[in-house]
């Protein structure tokens, strides 16, 4: 057994020996929400998989707010005994993880435990969820446990301005590259097979941004590029704690987009050979759900873009094609209400950044950070374009952009040497 | 008198002849060494250039930002070409010094000994200059992008100050390494650095009072406002 599992955990695993289902919860200072998440998962397991031997793993990043105690307390709650017939006990493992602080390192510990217990199906869910229901456990586990799928990506209804990195970069780019229409590739709550967990462990990525926010996109792309069977699970609305909105945007972009670009290097033969994308099956009936309102400060985003044009032009000149740069200079003087960042220009920007990353045109972290003002410009434009639009219309805009990414893929392939 | 004159002339010619006979091989040795230096330098240059091309040294320099910094400095040649050129001159100079040494002249020997003693210092200084130049560009670029992403108005000024700060520090280190006016460099650096800090303090304290107040107010008060106005969850 590798070093990164602590001795008490190894002993606990030897006691449990084998399990069928594992649910992992990465956490860091989530004492306020994790108790409910754990209770809901335990309920889901007893309701939907009463005969399975199940394990709940809390992989914690060194919380100081009593997160571990909240997990302990949740599983000792007598209100959990809501099933009438005897069921196998749900084992719990609470462990700190080794490695770079971040969600990815927490997942690595979960993968290792899954491999050790030879589980058939796993799921991971965020610890700050407020909208999780027992149904989530069924939707994420059953396609793997009984349906023969290897990877279950989540599908939520989100506010039109929620998940803007997903909508403007991650979803369309993943779809254009790997030809699978996975709407929430970095949703954070996934189901996967024990076989896939074992594959994840074999990859040497735990010293990179994959150990941080890059883990979600890495899991999805690896499953897609390695041709595992993928489906989506409709989970309703995703409501979670809002922490520091926009504060760590640059770091998030570096980790997510950097992981995506780095996977393009690894799987270049795969994505260069893919053609048109196809839909991914959805598990669970789609229904309308209420979503939380999101306020957006458009002016601040437009100003960030304008400052980028003013100060970062010499850096963008190294990264962007001259015609893309000319377009950016044309839109920069527009007033906030008239500000529009055309879709095709945005696609060129993303592809130019991917190419610059591939050709190592600049120090990689500088390169990825230089994308932030452009992303904010495109996000501001998206908000202005869809101010009066409903959910379906906004989804239509995102679909059109994804199609644009696919249509312009030859541009990327042609310049990739 | 005539005989005495003839004898003196003969002695002079004989002495010069003897000296020339002794010195001529030295000149020939020097010329041979210079020619060998030219040929060896050319061979080393060509070999090194080819090896660097084979190991893709130029894309590596682009990745490190060295090519861009050279272009900005007006040098439009590739890094592999420059390294080749430098190696040629290094080899040629070594052979030339050997040639000068072969002349067996006291002054020439002193010159070559001094030059050869100075060479390691010169190489160290050049390396320091190169590393400082790279560091200045890297740090300034990183600071500029970070400041722009944080939407600081003086992003460009911050980056420029960092670049020049590192360059001035590098120049002072290089001059100290070369042993050129050590005391003067230290004094000049201290004065310049102190001056910059004082200028910044004055500029911020007098000229930027409003900006300082605005920054502090935004930091202490507007963080809450920002949360209310911008609730985007990017992931």
């Amino acid at each position: 057994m590798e070093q990164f599992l602590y001795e008490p955990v190894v002993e606990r695993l030897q006691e449990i020996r084998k399990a069928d289902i594992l649910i992992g919860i990465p956490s860091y200072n989530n004492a306020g929400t994790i108790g409910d998440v754990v209770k809901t998962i335990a309920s889901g397991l007893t309701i939907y998989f009463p005969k399975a031997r199940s394990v709940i793993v809390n992989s914690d990043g060194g919380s100081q707010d009593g997160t571990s105690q909240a997990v302990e307390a949740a599983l000792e709650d007598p209100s959990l005994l809501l099933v009438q017939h005897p069921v196998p006990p749900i084992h719990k493992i609470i462990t700190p993880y080794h490695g770079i602080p971040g969600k990815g390192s927490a997942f690595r510990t979960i993968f290792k435990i899954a491999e050790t217990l030879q589980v058939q199906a796993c799921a991971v869910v965020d610890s700050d969820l407020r909208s999780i229901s027992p149904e989530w456990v069924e939707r994420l586990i059953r396609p793997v446990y009984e349906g023969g799928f290897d990877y279950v990506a989540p599908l939520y209804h989100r506010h039109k301005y929620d998940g803007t990195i997903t909508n403007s970069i991650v979803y369309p780019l993943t779809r254009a590259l790997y030809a699978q229409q996975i709407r929430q590739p970095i949703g954070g709550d996934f189901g996967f097979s024990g076989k896939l967990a074992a594959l994840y462990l074999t990859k040497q990525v735990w010293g990179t941004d994959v150990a941080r926010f890059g883990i979600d996109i890495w899991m999805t792309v690896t499953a897609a590029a390695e041709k595992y069977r993928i489906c989506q699970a409709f989970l309703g609305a995703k409501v979670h704690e809002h922490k520091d909105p926009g504060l760590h945007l640059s770091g998030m972009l570096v980790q997510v987009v950097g992981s995506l670009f780095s996977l393009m290097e690894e799987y270049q033969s795969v994505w260069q050979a893919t053609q048109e994308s196809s839909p991914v099956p959805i598990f669970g009936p789609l229904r309308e759900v209420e979503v939380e309102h999101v306020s957006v400060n458009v002016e601040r985003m437009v100003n960030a873009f304008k400052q980028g044009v003013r100060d970062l032009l010499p850096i963008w000149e190294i990264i962007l094609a001259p015609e893309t740069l000319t377009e950016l200079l044309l839109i920069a003087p527009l007033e906030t209400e008239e500000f529009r960042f055309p879709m095709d220009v945005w696609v060129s920007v993303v592809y130019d950044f991917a190419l610059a990353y591939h050709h190592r045109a600049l120090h990689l972290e500088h390169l990825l950070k230089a994308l932030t003002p452009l992303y904010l410009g495109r996000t501001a434009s998206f908000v202005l374009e869809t101010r009066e639009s409903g959910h379906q219309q906004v989804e239509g805009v995102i679909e059109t952009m994804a199609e644009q990414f696919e249509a312009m893929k030859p541009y990327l392939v042609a310049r990739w040497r | 008198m005539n005989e005495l004159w003839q004898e003196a002339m003969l002695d002079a010619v004989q002495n010069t002849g003897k000296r020339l006979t002794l010195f001529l091989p030295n000149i020939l040795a020097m010329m041979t060494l210079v020619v060998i230096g030219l040929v060896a330098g050319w061979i080393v240059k060509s070999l090194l250039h080819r090896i660097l091309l084979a190991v893709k040294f130029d894309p590596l320099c682009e990745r490190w930002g060295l090519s861009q910094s050279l272009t900005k400095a007006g040098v439009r040649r590739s890094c592999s070409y420059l390294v080749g050129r430098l190696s040629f001159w290094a080899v040629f100079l070594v052979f030339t010094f050997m040639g000068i040494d072969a002349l067996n002249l006291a002054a020439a020997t002193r010159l070559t000994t001094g030059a050869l003693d100075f060479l390691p210092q010169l190489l160290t200084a050049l390396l320091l200059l190169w590393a400082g130049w790279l560091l200045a560009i890297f740090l300034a670029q990183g600071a500029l992008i970070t400041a722009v992403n944080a939407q600081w108005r003086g992003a460009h000024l911050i980056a420029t100050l960092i670049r020049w700060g590192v360059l001035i520090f590098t120049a002072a280190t290089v001059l100290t390494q070369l042993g050129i006016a050590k005391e003067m460099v230290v004094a000049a650096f201290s004065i310049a650095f102190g001056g910059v800090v004082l200028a910044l303090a004055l500029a911020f304290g007098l000229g930027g009072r409003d900006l300082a107040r605005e920054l502090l107010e935004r930091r202490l008060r507007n963080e809450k406002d920002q949360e209310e106005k911008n609730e985007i969850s990017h992931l």
Side-chain angles (χ1 to χ4, degrees):
Chain A
M1 197 166 290
E2 271 186 51
Q3 283 278 314
F4 65 88
L5 290 185
Y6 286 96
E7 199 51 44
V9 176
V10 176
E11 284 168 16
R12 185 88 179 96
L13 293 179
Q14 281 163 355
E15 280 170 34
I16 302 171
R17 289 178 61 198
K18 197 175 179 319
D20 303 312
I21 294 170
L22 180 147
I23 311 278
I25 314 164
S27 64
Y28 180 66
N29 287 341
N30 302 107
T33 48
I34 199 165
D36 286 336
V37 173
V38 171
K39 281 184 203 173
T40 310
I41 288 167
S43 301
L45 287 169
T46 47
I47 293 168
Y48 295 105
F49 304 99
K51 289 178 184 163
R53 285 162 61 90
S54 304
V55 184
I56 296 175
V57 179
N58 169 224
S59 185
D60 188 69
S63 300
Q64 301 292 319
D65 67 341
T67 297
S68 302
Q69 290 84 337
V71 176
E72 288 273 5
L75 280 174
E76 281 157 18
D77 188 341
S79 66
L80 269 179
L81 302 171
L82 40 80
V83 279
Q84 299 301 311
H85 51 90
V87 291
I90 296 166
H91 297 287
K92 62 170 188 255
I93 297 172
I94 302 168
T95 173
Y97 59 76
H98 275 290
I100 296 171
K103 192 177 170 183
S105 297
F107 275 24
R108 188 190 184 198
T109 298
I110 293 168
F111 298 152
K112 185 68 196 171
I113 295 173
E115 189 195 43
T116 311
L117 295 176
Q118 300 164 56
V119 297
Q120 199 181 325
C122 313
V124 280
V125 293
D126 285 341
S127 49
D128 62 346
L129 288 168
R130 291 204 175 277
S131 59
I132 187 168
S133 68
E135 268 186 338
W136 282 37
V137 176
E138 195 221 357
R139 300 264 164 95
L140 291 172
I141 291 289
R142 203 176 295 283
V144 178
Y145 199 55
E146 289 167 8
F149 285 96
D150 282 297
Y151 192 72
V152 189
L155 187 64
Y156 319 102
H157 270 173
R158 301 174 79 168
H159 186 270
K160 58 184 175 180
Y161 304 141
D162 192 14
T164 39
I165 293 180
T166 300
N167 294 345
S168 59
I169 308 175
V170 182
Y171 165 59
L173 187 56
T174 311
R175 172 175 154 165
L177 294 176
Y178 303 101
Q180 304 225 40
Q181 295 172 11
I182 306 166
R183 183 64 185 84
Q184 297 290 338
I186 55 171
D189 313 296
F190 305 103
F192 48 93
S193 62
K195 194 172 66 176
L196 192 52
L199 173 92
Y200 287 147
L201 276 174
T202 63
K203 307 277 180 180
Q204 301 300 314
V205 291
W206 308 107
T208 68
D209 280 336
V210 168
R212 301 185 179 93
F213 281 120
I215 184 71
D216 294 348
I217 189 60
W218 177 79
M219 285 169 68
T220 306
V221 168
T222 305
E226 306 251 357
K227 313 286 183 205
Y228 281 85
R229 281 190 71 200
I230 299 176
C231 71
Q232 299 179 92
F234 182 69
L235 303 177
K238 175 155 181 162
V239 182
H240 56 124
E241 292 275 279
H242 276 280
K243 281 186 188 172
D244 307 329
L247 203 62
H248 306 299
L249 166 63
S250 205
M252 281 195 277
L253 258 184
V254 168
Q255 290 165 31
V256 175
V257 180
S259 299
L260 195 46
F261 286 171
S262 130
L263 284 159
M264 286 174 73
E265 310 276 334
E266 191 179 342
Y267 292 118
Q268 58 174 323
S269 58
V270 176
W271 62 261
Q272 287 187 350
T274 58
Q275 300 292 322
E276 240 174 72
S277 70
S278 51
V280 173
I282 298 170
F283 190 79
L286 294 176
R287 59 187 158 76
E288 283 300 315
V289 284
E290 278 290 308
V291 288
E292 276 191 332
H293 178 75
V294 173
S295 302
V296 186
N297 187 342
V298 180
E299 192 163 10
R300 194 176 145 80
M301 290 197 279
V302 174
N303 286 340
F305 170 75
K306 288 183 176 179
Q307 187 175 2
V309 173
R310 212 166 46 237
D311 290 333
L312 295 185
L313 215 51
I315 293 170
W316 288 351
E317 275 171 357
I318 301 169
I319 302 164
L320 300 172
E323 50 273 26
T324 315
L325 208 60
T326 311
E327 295 278 355
L328 294 178
L329 292 173
L330 283 175
I331 61 173
L334 296 172
E335 291 299 321
T336 303
E337 284 306 313
E338 280 81 47
F339 184 78
R340 292 294 180 274
F341 194 129
M343 223 177 247
D344 57 331
V345 179
W346 172 243
V347 181
S348 305
V349 164
V350 173
Y351 282 165
D352 284 343
F353 268 77
L355 290 164
Y357 185 98
H358 175 58
H359 296 134
R360 305 288 189 264
L362 212 66
H363 181 263
L364 295 182
E365 193 169 327
H366 291 179
L367 182 129
L368 293 165
K369 279 186 174 170
L371 180 63
T372 309
L374 293 162
Y375 157 77
L376 287 173
R378 174 56 207 162
T379 305
S381 176
F382 174 77
V383 172
L384 291 163
E385 284 163 36
T386 58
R387 227 170 210 172
E388 307 301 324
S389 310
H391 177 78
Q392 287 305 323
Q393 285 165 300
V394 172
E395 278 301 307
V397 173
I398 295 166
E399 283 304 297
T400 310
M401 186 153 68
E403 283 160 16
Q404 186 90 39
F405 266 85
E406 286 190 53
M408 288 172 69
K409 190 176 162 188
Y411 171 90
L412 177 72
V413 176
R415 282 161 181 77
W416 190 280
R417 291 187 307 273
Chain B
M1 180 67 186
N2 204 13
E3 274 177 20
L4 198 67
W5 181 81
Q6 273 181 353
E7 205 174 311
M9 281 296 288
L10 204 63
D11 281 351
V13 171
Q14 276 175 342
N15 283 339
T16 310
K18 271 182 197 169
R19 273 192 211 137
L20 269 176
T21 319
L22 282 173
F23 194 60
L24 208 59
N26 292 352
I27 290 179
L28 279 173
M30 185 200 79
M31 287 171 73
T32 312
L33 282 166
V34 169
V35 173
I36 291 173
L38 276 172
V39 176
W42 185 83
I43 291 170
V44 170
K45 182 191 87 171
S46 307
L47 263 176
L48 207 59
H49 191 222
R50 281 180 190 196
I51 291 168
L52 291 176
L53 284 181
V55 299
K56 296 188 174 155
F57 181 67
D58 289 331
L60 212 62
C61 286
E62 273 179 30
R63 189 174 147 188
W64 292 339
L66 184 62
S67 305
Q68 291 93 320
S69 60
L70 286 171
T71 312
K72 277 183 190 167
V75 182
R76 305 212 175 267
R77 298 285 192 176
S78 69
C79 289
S80 55
Y81 174 87
L82 289 174
V83 172
R85 265 287 147 125
L86 274 174
S87 63
F88 168 83
W89 281 106
V91 172
F92 178 70
L93 276 175
V94 168
F95 276 91
T96 307
F97 284 139
M98 283 160 67
I100 295 170
D101 217 26
L103 289 174
N104 261 338
L105 297 173
T109 308
R110 273 201 303 278
L111 177 78
T112 51
T113 311
L116 284 171
D117 284 347
F118 189 63
L119 208 59
Q121 270 171 282
L122 189 69
L123 281 174
T124 314
L126 280 172
L127 271 174
L128 277 172
L129 196 65
W130 178 60
W133 180 263
L134 278 183
L135 189 70
I137 288 170
F138 179 81
L139 291 179
Q141 196 176 66
L144 177 68
I145 296 169
T146 306
V148 168
N149 287 345
Q151 293 186 46
W152 292 344
R153 282 180 201 164
H156 219 277
L157 178 70
I158 293 168
T160 309
L161 284 174
I162 288 176
R163 183 166 55 246
W164 280 104
V166 176
L167 285 177
I168 290 168
F169 184 76
T170 306
T173 315
V174 165
L175 288 173
T176 313
Q177 172 66 30
L178 291 173
I180 300 170
K182 268 186 188 173
E183 291 77 14
M184 203 178 82
V185 169
V186 173
F189 182 74
S190 309
I191 291 165
F193 193 71
V196 167
V197 172
L198 189 68
L200 277 175
L202 283 173
F204 199 67
L206 297 174
R209 263 190 312 188
D210 294 339
L211 177 69
R213 188 170 55 220
E214 190 193 318
L215 280 175
L216 285 171
E217 276 177 0
R218 274 177 59 184
R219 179 109 191 122
L220 298 173
R221 198 187 58 194
N222 284 12
E223 264 181 3
K224 195 170 175 296
D225 296 351
Q226 195 184 312
E227 255 181 67
E228 283 164 6
K229 287 176 191 164
N230 207 354
E231 295 167 340
I232 280 191
S233 161
H234 296 274
L235 293 177

